[in-house]
Amino acid sequence: MGSLRTLVEGFLREVASVVPEMAYQGEGRKILGGVPGRAEDEDVEIGLDRTCDELLDRWCERSGLSIDIYSEHGSRRHYGATPATYVIAVDPFDGSGLFQRGLIAEWWSVLTVFDARTLVPVLGGAVDILRRELYVADENGVTLETNLEDRSIIDRENSEIFSVAPVRKMAIDDDMILAAYLMSPVYLSDWTTRAGKLLVTLRERFPKSRLWPNGGSCIYPWIARGTVHAYVMFNEPRSEVDPGLAFSWASKYPIFSVRTDGVLEEYRFDPSQRVGRVPFFIAASTAELAEAIV
């Protein structure tokens, strides 16, 4: 596990070093291709996506481990012996759409490592590039390291590391922060139409509650930290969910696919369905909160 942790942390620390240097020089915005299962007006692969993917490839190759990689931006890649011991689901640069439009906000890289036989997470991580924060999810929970050193992969002299945990909210209330990706007109229109009853409830009964209008793979460390309490989406791409599953596993909060009759079914990682979507999706700090939202 030591070399696996080195791989995850080393990759994320290097992303935190490389991305700002490229971004502030105006590099990495060029469109290189599409994203499997996504329309071009929803998401594309840009230069920084490719750069971060290549960084992960190099860390996997150096590790000597047997790994299958499923990135948001391409087909399966394999390193080491066959069959694979581990499977990695990664969103190499979450926030590429914001970066491409000149917005310096919410730039992340997120990944989960699964046991290739059971498809259960064994390790995960995320780096909040702009806030200089590193999250690691393992069997002991989730840790947060702050104040990552600029231009350094290993220097922790000024860092602080501490454990984080979700806020176990059991019901909708005035303190709830609900996340949903609402920046796209398509997603916003669908969300407000289908969640209209929920919005009325929030407006009339819980007007102090708040909606955080961003989501995707970066939202899972925030639920683990207690920054937001739930994430609700319609037609959510599985490639936005799978990289964050280690945080649900490590922090023991549930993730559901909701059936048309309102029954909550546990969401599971399935590499064969990685370009699919979830018609009605909820991640929440507790099952009770998810049920209240439904």
Side-chain angles (χ1 to χ4, degrees), residues 112-200:
T112 288
V113 184
F114 301 86
D115 181 291
R117 183 179 58 84
T118 64
L119 298 182
V120 172
V122 296
L123 188 66
V127 63
D128 185 335
I129 297 165
L130 295 171
R131 296 181 184 89
R132 313 300 299 170
E133 295 180 336
L134 175 70
Y135 298 79
V136 175
D138 62 21
E139 68 276 6
N140 297 313
V142 176
T143 58
L144 170 62
E145 179 179 345
T146 61
N147 302 319
L148 294 181
E149 289 293 320
D150 289 338
R151 302 179 183 277
S152 172
I153 297 174
I154 59 174
D155 186 356
R156 300 185 180 187
E157 182 178 349
N158 297 316
S159 296
E160 298 180 24
I161 303 175
F162 50 92
S163 298
V164 296
V167 174
R168 303 294 183 185
K169 193 171 288 295
M170 308 296 285
I172 300 170
D173 60 23
D174 263 329
D175 295 324
M176 185 180 73
I177 300 177
L178 177 68
Y181 179 72
L182 305 178
M183 286 186 253
S184 157
V186 174
Y187 277 107
L188 174 62
S189 176
D190 194 28
W191 202 94
T192 54
T193 298
R194 299 184 64 180
K197 188 174 181 180
L198 174 63
L199 286 173
V200 170

Coordinates of all heavy atoms in Angstrom, one line a residue, residues 112-200:
T112 N -10.0 7.8 -7.6 CA -10.2 6.7 -6.7 C -9.5 5.5 -7.2 O -9.5 5.2 -8.4 CB -11.7 6.4 -6.5 OG1 -12.3 7.5 -5.8 CG2 -11.9 5.1 -5.8
V113 N -8.8 4.7 -6.3 CA -8.2 3.4 -6.7 C -9.1 2.3 -6.1 O -9.4 2.3 -4.9 CB -6.8 3.3 -6.1 CG1 -6.1 2.0 -6.5 CG2 -5.9 4.6 -6.4
F114 N -9.4 1.4 -7.0 CA -10.3 0.3 -6.6 C -9.5 -1.0 -6.6 O -8.5 -1.2 -7.4 CB -11.5 0.1 -7.6 CG -12.4 1.3 -7.7 CD1 -12.1 2.3 -8.6 CD2 -13.5 1.4 -6.9 CE1 -12.9 3.4 -8.7 CE2 -14.4 2.5 -7.1 CZ -14.1 3.5 -7.9
D115 N -9.9 -2.0 -5.8 CA -9.4 -3.3 -5.9 C -10.0 -3.9 -7.2 O -11.2 -3.9 -7.4 CB -9.8 -4.2 -4.7 CG -9.4 -5.6 -4.8 OD1 -9.9 -6.4 -5.7 OD2 -8.6 -6.0 -4.0
A116 N -9.1 -4.4 -8.1 CA -9.6 -4.8 -9.4 C -10.5 -6.0 -9.4 O -11.4 -6.2 -10.3 CB -8.4 -5.1 -10.4
R117 N -10.4 -6.8 -8.3 CA -11.2 -8.0 -8.2 C -12.6 -7.7 -7.6 O -13.6 -8.1 -8.2 CB -10.5 -9.0 -7.3 CG -11.3 -10.4 -7.2 CD -10.5 -11.3 -6.3 NE -10.3 -10.8 -5.0 CZ -11.1 -10.8 -4.0 NH1 -12.3 -11.4 -4.1 NH2 -10.8 -10.3 -2.8
T118 N -12.7 -6.9 -6.6 CA -13.9 -6.6 -5.9 C -14.6 -5.3 -6.4 O -15.8 -5.0 -6.1 CB -13.7 -6.5 -4.4 OG1 -12.9 -5.4 -4.1 CG2 -13.1 -7.8 -3.9
L119 N -13.8 -4.4 -7.0 CA -14.2 -3.1 -7.4 C -14.7 -2.2 -6.3 O -15.5 -1.3 -6.4 CB -15.3 -3.1 -8.5 CG -14.9 -3.8 -9.8 CD1 -16.1 -3.8 -10.8 CD2 -13.7 -3.2 -10.4
V120 N -14.1 -2.5 -5.1 CA -14.3 -1.7 -3.9 C -13.1 -0.7 -3.7 O -12.0 -1.1 -4.0 CB -14.4 -2.6 -2.6 CG1 -14.4 -1.8 -1.4 CG2 -15.6 -3.4 -2.7
P121 N -13.3 0.5 -3.4 CA -12.2 1.5 -3.2 C -11.2 1.0 -2.1 O -11.6 0.4 -1.1 CB -12.9 2.8 -2.7 CG -14.3 2.7 -3.3 CD -14.6 1.2 -3.2
V122 N -9.9 1.3 -2.4 CA -8.9 1.0 -1.4 C -8.1 2.3 -1.0 O -7.5 2.3 0.0 CB -7.9 -0.1 -1.9 CG1 -8.6 -1.4 -2.0 CG2 -7.2 0.3 -3.2
L123 N -8.2 3.3 -1.9 CA -7.5 4.6 -1.6 C -8.1 5.6 -2.6 O -8.6 5.3 -3.7 CB -6.0 4.4 -1.9 CG -5.1 5.5 -1.5 CD1 -5.1 5.7 0.0 CD2 -3.6 5.2 -2.0
G124 N -8.0 6.8 -2.2 CA -8.4 7.9 -3.1 C -7.7 9.2 -2.7 O -7.1 9.4 -1.6
G125 N -7.9 10.2 -3.6 CA -7.3 11.5 -3.3 C -7.9 12.6 -4.2 O -8.5 12.3 -5.2
A126 N -7.7 13.8 -3.7 CA -8.1 15.0 -4.5 C -7.2 16.1 -4.1 O -6.8 16.3 -3.0 CB -9.6 15.3 -4.2
V127 N -7.0 17.0 -5.1 CA -6.2 18.2 -4.8 C -7.1 19.4 -5.3 O -7.5 19.4 -6.4 CB -4.8 18.2 -5.5 CG1 -4.9 18.2 -7.0 CG2 -4.0 19.4 -5.0
D128 N -7.3 20.3 -4.4 CA -7.9 21.6 -4.7 C -6.8 22.5 -5.1 O -6.0 23.0 -4.2 CB -8.7 22.1 -3.5 CG -9.4 23.4 -3.7 OD1 -9.0 24.1 -4.6 OD2 -10.4 23.6 -3.0
I129 N -6.6 22.7 -6.4 CA -5.4 23.3 -6.9 C -5.2 24.8 -6.5 O -4.1 25.2 -6.1 CB -5.3 23.2 -8.4 CG1 -5.3 21.7 -8.8 CG2 -4.2 24.0 -9.1 CD1 -5.6 21.5 -10.3
L130 N -6.3 25.5 -6.5 CA -6.2 26.9 -6.2 C -6.2 27.2 -4.7 O -5.5 28.2 -4.3 CB -7.4 27.7 -6.8 CG -7.5 27.7 -8.3 CD1 -8.8 28.2 -8.9 CD2 -6.3 28.5 -8.9
R131 N -6.8 26.4 -3.9 CA -6.8 26.6 -2.4 C -5.6 25.9 -1.8 O -5.4 26.0 -0.6 CB -8.0 26.1 -1.8 CG -9.3 26.9 -2.2 CD -10.5 26.3 -1.5 NE -11.7 27.0 -2.0 CZ -12.5 26.6 -3.0 NH1 -12.1 25.5 -3.7 NH2 -13.5 27.3 -3.4
R132 N -4.8 25.2 -2.6 CA -3.6 24.5 -2.1 C -3.9 23.5 -1.0 O -3.3 23.4 0.0 CB -2.5 25.5 -1.7 CG -2.3 26.6 -2.6 CD -1.8 26.2 -3.9 NE -0.5 25.5 -3.9 CZ 0.0 24.9 -4.9 NH1 -0.6 24.9 -6.1 NH2 1.2 24.3 -4.8
E133 N -4.9 22.6 -1.3 CA -5.3 21.6 -0.3 C -5.3 20.2 -0.9 O -5.8 20.0 -2.0 CB -6.7 22.0 0.2 CG -6.8 23.3 1.0 CD -8.2 23.6 1.5 OE1 -9.2 23.1 1.0 OE2 -8.2 24.4 2.5
L134 N -4.8 19.3 -0.1 CA -4.7 17.9 -0.6 C -5.6 17.0 0.3 O -5.4 17.0 1.6 CB -3.3 17.4 -0.5 CG -3.0 15.9 -0.9 CD1 -3.3 15.7 -2.3 CD2 -1.6 15.5 -0.5
Y135 N -6.5 16.2 -0.2 CA -7.3 15.3 0.5 C -6.9 13.9 0.2 O -6.6 13.5 -1.0 CB -8.8 15.4 0.1 CG -9.5 16.7 0.3 CD1 -9.3 17.8 -0.5 CD2 -10.3 16.9 1.4 CE1 -9.9 19.0 -0.3 CE2 -11.0 18.1 1.6 CZ -10.8 19.1 0.8 OH -11.4 20.3 1.0
V136 N -6.8 13.0 1.2 CA -6.5 11.6 1.0 C -7.6 10.8 1.7 O -7.9 11.0 2.9 CB -5.1 11.2 1.5 CG1 -4.9 9.7 1.4 CG2 -4.0 12.0 0.7
A137 N -8.1 9.8 1.0 CA -9.2 8.9 1.6 C -8.6 7.5 1.7 O -8.2 7.0 0.7 CB -10.4 9.0 0.7
D138 N -8.7 7.0 2.9 CA -8.2 5.6 3.0 C -9.1 4.9 4.1 O -10.1 5.4 4.5 CB -6.7 5.5 3.4 CG -6.4 6.2 4.8 OD1 -7.3 6.3 5.6 OD2 -5.2 6.5 5.0
E139 N -8.7 3.7 4.5 CA -9.6 2.9 5.4 C -9.7 3.6 6.8 O -10.6 3.2 7.5 CB -9.0 1.5 5.6 CG -7.7 1.4 6.4 CD -6.5 1.7 5.5 OE1 -6.6 2.0 4.3 OE2 -5.3 1.5 6.0
N140 N -8.9 4.6 7.1 CA -9.0 5.3 8.4 C -9.9 6.5 8.3 O -10.1 7.2 9.3 CB -7.6 5.6 8.9 CG -6.8 4.4 9.2 OD1 -7.3 3.4 9.8 ND2 -5.6 4.3 8.7
G141 N -10.3 6.9 7.1 CA -11.1 8.1 7.0 C -10.5 9.0 6.0 O -9.7 8.6 5.1
V142 N -10.7 10.3 6.1 CA -10.2 11.3 5.2 C -9.4 12.3 5.9 O -9.8 12.9 7.0 CB -11.4 12.1 4.4 CG1 -10.8 13.2 3.5 CG2 -12.2 11.1 3.6
T143 N -8.2 12.6 5.4 CA -7.3 13.7 5.9 C -7.2 14.8 4.9 O -7.4 14.6 3.7 CB -5.9 13.1 6.2 OG1 -5.3 12.6 5.0 CG2 -5.9 12.1 7.3
L144 N -7.0 16.0 5.5 CA -6.8 17.2 4.7 C -5.5 17.8 5.0 O -5.2 18.1 6.2 CB -8.0 18.2 5.0 CG -7.8 19.6 4.4 CD1 -7.8 19.6 2.9 CD2 -9.0 20.5 4.9
E145 N -4.7 18.1 4.0 CA -3.4 18.8 4.1 C -3.6 20.2 3.5 O -3.9 20.3 2.3 CB -2.3 18.0 3.5 CG -1.0 18.7 3.6 CD 0.2 17.9 3.0 OE1 0.0 16.7 2.7 OE2 1.3 18.5 2.7
T146 N -3.3 21.2 4.3 CA -3.4 22.6 3.8 C -2.1 23.2 3.5 O -1.0 22.6 3.9 CB -4.2 23.4 4.8 OG1 -3.4 23.5 6.0 CG2 -5.5 22.9 5.1
N147 N -2.1 24.3 2.8 CA -0.9 25.1 2.6 C 0.2 24.3 1.8 O 1.4 24.3 2.2 CB -0.3 25.6 3.9 CG -1.3 26.5 4.6 OD1 -2.0 27.3 4.0 ND2 -1.3 26.3 5.9
L148 N -0.2 23.6 0.8 CA 0.8 22.9 -0.1 C 1.8 23.9 -0.6 O 1.5 25.0 -1.0 CB 0.1 22.2 -1.2 CG -0.9 21.1 -0.9 CD1 -1.4 20.5 -2.3 CD2 -0.2 19.9 -0.2
E149 N 3.1 23.4 -0.5 CA 4.1 24.3 -1.0 C 4.1 24.5 -2.5 O 4.0 23.5 -3.2 CB 5.5 23.7 -0.6 CG 5.8 23.8 0.9 CD 5.9 25.2 1.4 OE1 6.6 26.0 0.7 OE2 5.4 25.5 2.5
D150 N 4.2 25.7 -3.0 CA 4.3 26.0 -4.4 C 5.6 25.3 -5.0 O 6.6 25.3 -4.3 CB 4.3 27.5 -4.7 CG 3.0 28.1 -4.4 OD1 2.0 27.4 -4.4 OD2 3.0 29.4 -4.2
R151 N 5.4 24.8 -6.2 CA 6.6 24.3 -7.0 C 7.3 23.1 -6.2 O 8.5 22.9 -6.4 CB 7.6 25.4 -7.3 CG 7.0 26.5 -8.1 CD 8.0 27.6 -8.4 NE 7.4 28.7 -9.1 CZ 7.1 28.7 -10.4 NH1 7.5 27.7 -11.2 NH2 6.6 29.8 -11.0
S152 N 6.6 22.5 -5.3 CA 7.2 21.4 -4.6 C 6.3 20.2 -4.5 O 5.1 20.3 -4.3 CB 7.6 21.8 -3.2 OG 8.0 20.7 -2.4
I153 N 6.8 19.0 -4.7 CA 6.1 17.8 -4.7 C 6.1 17.2 -3.3 O 5.2 16.5 -2.8 CB 6.5 16.8 -5.7 CG1 6.3 17.3 -7.1 CG2 5.8 15.4 -5.6 CD1 6.9 16.4 -8.2
I154 N 7.2 17.4 -2.5 CA 7.5 16.7 -1.3 C 7.6 17.6 -0.1 O 7.6 17.1 1.1 CB 8.7 15.8 -1.4 CG1 10.0 16.6 -1.7 CG2 8.5 14.7 -2.5 CD1 11.2 15.8 -1.7
D155 N 7.8 18.9 -0.2 CA 8.0 19.7 0.9 C 6.7 20.0 1.7 O 5.8 20.6 1.2 CB 8.6 21.1 0.4 CG 9.0 22.0 1.5 OD1 8.8 21.6 2.7 OD2 9.6 23.1 1.2
R156 N 6.7 19.6 2.9 CA 5.5 19.8 3.8 C 5.8 20.7 5.0 O 5.1 20.7 5.9 CB 5.0 18.4 4.3 CG 4.6 17.4 3.3 CD 4.1 16.2 3.9 NE 3.7 15.2 3.0 CZ 3.0 14.1 3.3 NH1 2.7 13.8 4.5 NH2 2.7 13.2 2.4
E157 N 6.9 21.4 4.9 CA 7.4 22.2 6.1 C 6.3 23.1 6.7 O 6.1 23.2 7.9 CB 8.6 23.0 5.7 CG 9.2 23.8 6.9 CD 10.4 24.6 6.5 OE1 10.9 24.3 5.4 OE2 10.8 25.4 7.3
N158 N 5.5 23.7 5.8 CA 4.5 24.7 6.2 C 3.1 24.1 6.1 O 2.1 24.9 6.2 CB 4.6 26.0 5.4 CG 5.9 26.7 5.6 OD1 6.4 26.8 6.7 ND2 6.5 27.1 4.5
S159 N 2.9 22.8 6.0 CA 1.6 22.2 5.8 C 1.1 21.8 7.2 O 1.8 21.7 8.1 CB 1.7 21.0 4.9 OG 2.1 21.4 3.6
E160 N -0.3 21.7 7.2 CA -1.0 21.2 8.3 C -1.8 20.0 7.9 O -2.5 20.1 6.8 CB -1.8 22.2 9.0 CG -1.0 23.4 9.6 CD -1.9 24.4 10.2 OE1 -3.1 24.1 10.6 OE2 -1.5 25.6 10.3
I161 N -1.9 18.9 8.6 CA -2.6 17.7 8.2 C -3.6 17.4 9.4 O -3.2 17.3 10.5 CB -1.7 16.5 7.9 CG1 -0.7 16.9 6.8 CG2 -2.6 15.3 7.5 CD1 0.3 15.8 6.5
F162 N -4.9 17.2 9.1 CA -5.8 16.9 10.1 C -7.0 16.1 9.5 O -7.2 16.1 8.2 CB -6.4 18.1 10.8 CG -6.9 19.2 9.9 CD1 -8.2 19.3 9.5 CD2 -6.0 20.2 9.4 CE1 -8.7 20.3 8.6 CE2 -6.4 21.2 8.5 CZ -7.8 21.2 8.2
S163 N -7.7 15.4 10.3 CA -8.8 14.5 9.9 C -10.1 15.4 9.7 O -10.3 16.4 10.4 CB -9.1 13.4 10.9 OG -8.0 12.6 11.0
V164 N -10.9 15.0 8.7 CA -12.2 15.7 8.4 C -13.3 14.7 8.4 O -13.0 13.5 8.2 CB -12.1 16.5 7.1 CG1 -11.1 17.6 7.2 CG2 -11.8 15.6 5.9
A165 N -14.5 15.1 8.6 CA -15.7 14.2 8.6 C -16.9 14.9 8.1 O -17.0 16.2 8.3 CB -15.9 13.7 10.0
P166 N -17.9 14.2 7.6 CA -19.1 14.9 7.1 C -19.9 15.4 8.3 O -19.7 14.9 9.4 CB -19.9 13.7 6.4 CG -18.8 12.7 6.2 CD -17.8 12.8 7.2
V167 N -20.8 16.3 8.0 CA -21.8 16.8 9.0 C -23.0 15.9 8.8 O -23.6 15.9 7.7 CB -22.2 18.3 8.8 CG1 -23.3 18.6 9.7 CG2 -21.0 19.2 9.0
R168 N -23.3 15.0 9.7 CA -24.3 14.0 9.6 C -25.7 14.6 9.7 O -26.4 14.4 10.7 CB -24.1 12.9 10.6 CG -22.7 12.3 10.6 CD -22.5 11.5 9.3 NE -21.2 10.8 9.3 CZ -20.7 10.2 8.3 NH1 -21.3 10.1 7.1 NH2 -19.5 9.6 8.4
K169 N -26.1 15.4 8.7 CA -27.4 16.0 8.7 C -28.5 15.0 8.4 O -28.4 14.2 7.4 CB -27.4 17.2 7.7 CG -28.6 18.1 7.9 CD -28.5 19.3 7.0 CE -27.4 20.2 7.6 NZ -27.7 20.8 8.9
M170 N -29.5 14.9 9.2 CA -30.6 13.9 9.1 C -31.8 14.4 8.3 O -32.6 13.6 7.9 CB -31.0 13.4 10.5 CG -29.8 13.0 11.4 SD -29.0 11.5 10.7 CE -30.2 10.2 11.1
A171 N -31.9 15.7 8.2 CA -33.2 16.2 7.5 C -32.8 17.6 6.9 O -31.8 18.2 7.2 CB -34.3 16.4 8.6
I172 N -33.7 18.0 6.0 CA -33.5 19.3 5.4 C -33.8 20.4 6.5 O -34.8 20.3 7.2 CB -34.5 19.5 4.2 CG1 -34.3 18.4 3.2 CG2 -34.5 20.9 3.6 CD1 -35.4 18.3 2.1
D173 N -33.0 21.4 6.5 CA -33.2 22.5 7.5 C -32.5 23.8 6.9 O -32.0 23.8 5.8 CB -32.6 22.1 8.9 CG -31.1 21.8 8.8 OD1 -30.4 22.3 7.9 OD2 -30.7 21.1 9.8
D174 N -32.6 24.8 7.7 CA -32.1 26.1 7.3 C -30.6 26.2 7.2 O -30.0 27.1 6.6 CB -32.5 27.2 8.3 CG -33.8 27.9 7.8 OD1 -34.0 28.1 6.6 OD2 -34.6 28.4 8.7
D175 N -29.9 25.2 7.8 CA -28.4 25.2 7.7 C -27.9 24.3 6.5 O -26.7 24.3 6.3 CB -27.8 24.6 9.0 CG -28.1 25.6 10.2 OD1 -28.1 26.8 10.0 OD2 -28.4 25.0 11.3
M176 N -28.8 23.7 5.8 CA -28.4 22.8 4.8 C -27.7 23.5 3.6 O -28.2 24.6 3.2 CB -29.5 21.9 4.2 CG -29.1 20.9 3.2 SD -30.4 19.9 2.6 CE -31.3 21.1 1.5
I177 N -26.6 23.0 3.1 CA -26.0 23.5 1.9 C -26.1 22.3 0.9 O -25.5 21.3 1.1 CB -24.6 23.9 2.1 CG1 -24.5 25.0 3.1 CG2 -23.9 24.3 0.7 CD1 -23.1 25.5 3.4
L178 N -26.9 22.5 -0.2 CA -27.2 21.5 -1.2 C -26.4 21.9 -2.5 O -26.5 23.0 -3.0 CB -28.6 21.5 -1.5 CG -29.1 20.5 -2.6 CD1 -28.9 19.1 -2.2 CD2 -30.6 20.8 -2.9
A179 N -25.6 21.0 -3.0 CA -24.8 21.2 -4.2 C -25.5 20.6 -5.4 O -26.2 19.6 -5.3 CB -23.4 20.6 -4.1
A180 N -25.4 21.3 -6.5 CA -25.9 20.8 -7.8 C -25.1 21.6 -8.9 O -24.9 22.8 -8.7 CB -27.4 21.0 -8.0
Y181 N -24.8 20.9 -10.0 CA -24.1 21.6 -11.1 C -25.1 22.4 -11.9 O -25.9 21.8 -12.6 CB -23.3 20.6 -11.9 CG -22.6 21.3 -13.1 CD1 -21.5 22.1 -12.8 CD2 -23.1 21.3 -14.4 CE1 -20.8 22.8 -13.8 CE2 -22.4 21.9 -15.4 CZ -21.3 22.7 -15.1 OH -20.7 23.4 -16.1
L182 N -25.1 23.7 -11.7 CA -26.1 24.5 -12.3 C -25.6 25.6 -13.3 O -26.3 26.5 -13.7 CB -26.9 25.3 -11.2 CG -27.6 24.3 -10.2 CD1 -28.3 25.2 -9.1 CD2 -28.5 23.4 -10.8
M183 N -24.3 25.5 -13.7 CA -23.7 26.5 -14.5 C -24.0 26.3 -16.0 O -23.9 27.3 -16.7 CB -22.2 26.4 -14.3 CG -21.7 27.0 -13.0 SD -19.9 27.2 -12.8 CE -19.6 25.9 -11.7
S184 N -24.4 25.1 -16.4 CA -24.8 24.9 -17.8 C -26.3 25.2 -17.9 O -27.1 24.7 -17.1 CB -24.5 23.4 -18.2 OG -25.3 23.0 -19.2
P185 N -26.7 25.9 -18.9 CA -28.2 26.2 -19.1 C -29.0 24.9 -19.2 O -30.1 24.8 -18.8 CB -28.2 27.0 -20.4 CG -26.9 27.7 -20.4 CD -25.9 26.7 -19.9
V186 N -28.4 23.9 -19.9 CA -29.1 22.6 -20.0 C -29.3 21.9 -18.7 O -30.4 21.5 -18.4 CB -28.3 21.7 -21.0 CG1 -28.9 20.3 -21.1 CG2 -28.2 22.3 -22.4
Y187 N -28.3 21.8 -17.9 CA -28.4 21.2 -16.6 C -29.3 22.0 -15.7 O -30.1 21.5 -14.9 CB -27.0 21.0 -15.9 CG -26.3 19.8 -16.3 CD1 -25.2 19.9 -17.2 CD2 -26.7 18.5 -15.9 CE1 -24.5 18.7 -17.6 CE2 -26.0 17.4 -16.3 CZ -24.9 17.5 -17.1 OH -24.3 16.3 -17.5
L188 N -29.2 23.3 -15.7 CA -30.0 24.2 -14.9 C -31.5 24.1 -15.2 O -32.3 23.9 -14.3 CB -29.5 25.7 -15.1 CG -30.4 26.7 -14.4 CD1 -30.4 26.5 -12.9 CD2 -29.9 28.1 -14.7
S189 N -31.8 24.1 -16.5 CA -33.2 23.9 -16.9 C -33.8 22.6 -16.4 O -34.9 22.6 -15.9 CB -33.3 24.1 -18.4 OG -34.6 23.9 -18.8
D190 N -33.0 21.5 -16.6 CA -33.5 20.2 -16.2 C -33.7 20.1 -14.7 O -34.6 19.6 -14.2 CB -32.5 19.1 -16.7 CG -33.1 17.7 -16.7 OD1 -34.4 17.6 -16.7 OD2 -32.4 16.8 -16.6
W191 N -32.7 20.7 -14.0 CA -32.7 20.6 -12.5 C -33.9 21.4 -11.9 O -34.6 20.9 -11.1 CB -31.4 21.1 -12.0 CG -31.0 20.6 -10.6 CD1 -30.3 19.5 -10.3 CD2 -31.5 21.2 -9.4 NE1 -30.2 19.4 -8.9 CE2 -30.9 20.4 -8.3 CE3 -32.2 22.3 -9.0 CZ2 -31.1 20.6 -7.0 CZ3 -32.5 22.5 -7.7 CH2 -31.9 21.7 -6.7
T192 N -34.0 22.6 -12.4 CA -35.1 23.4 -11.8 C -36.5 22.9 -12.1 O -37.4 23.0 -11.4 CB -35.0 24.9 -12.2 OG1 -35.0 24.9 -13.7 CG2 -33.8 25.5 -11.7
T193 N -36.6 22.2 -13.3 CA -37.9 21.6 -13.7 C -38.2 20.4 -12.8 O -39.3 20.3 -12.2 CB -37.9 21.2 -15.1 OG1 -37.7 22.4 -16.0 CG2 -39.2 20.5 -15.5
R194 N -37.2 19.5 -12.7 CA -37.5 18.3 -11.9 C -37.4 18.4 -10.4 O -38.0 17.6 -9.7 CB -36.5 17.2 -12.4 CG -36.6 16.9 -13.9 CD -35.7 15.8 -14.4 NE -36.0 14.6 -13.7 CZ -35.3 13.4 -14.0 NH1 -34.3 13.4 -14.9 NH2 -35.7 12.3 -13.4
A195 N -36.7 19.4 -10.0 CA -36.5 19.6 -8.5 C -37.4 20.8 -8.1 O -37.1 21.4 -7.0 CB -35.1 19.9 -8.1
G196 N -38.4 21.1 -8.8 CA -39.2 22.3 -8.5 C -39.9 22.2 -7.1 O -39.9 23.2 -6.4
K197 N -40.4 21.1 -6.8 CA -41.0 20.9 -5.5 C -40.0 21.1 -4.3 O -40.3 21.7 -3.3 CB -41.7 19.5 -5.4 CG -42.5 19.3 -4.1 CD -43.2 18.0 -4.2 CE -44.1 17.8 -3.0 NZ -44.8 16.5 -3.0
L198 N -38.8 20.6 -4.5 CA -37.8 20.8 -3.5 C -37.4 22.3 -3.4 O -37.3 22.8 -2.3 CB -36.5 20.0 -3.9 CG -35.3 20.2 -3.1 CD1 -35.5 19.8 -1.6 CD2 -34.1 19.5 -3.7
L199 N -37.3 23.0 -4.5 CA -37.0 24.4 -4.5 C -38.1 25.2 -3.7 O -37.8 26.1 -2.9 CB -36.9 25.0 -5.9 CG -35.6 24.6 -6.6 CD1 -35.6 25.1 -8.0 CD2 -34.4 25.2 -5.9
V200 N -39.4 24.9 -4.0 CA -40.5 25.5 -3.2 C -40.3 25.3 -1.7 O -40.5 26.2 -0.9 CB -41.8 25.0 -3.8 CG1 -43.0 25.5 -2.9 CG2 -42.1 25.5 -5.2

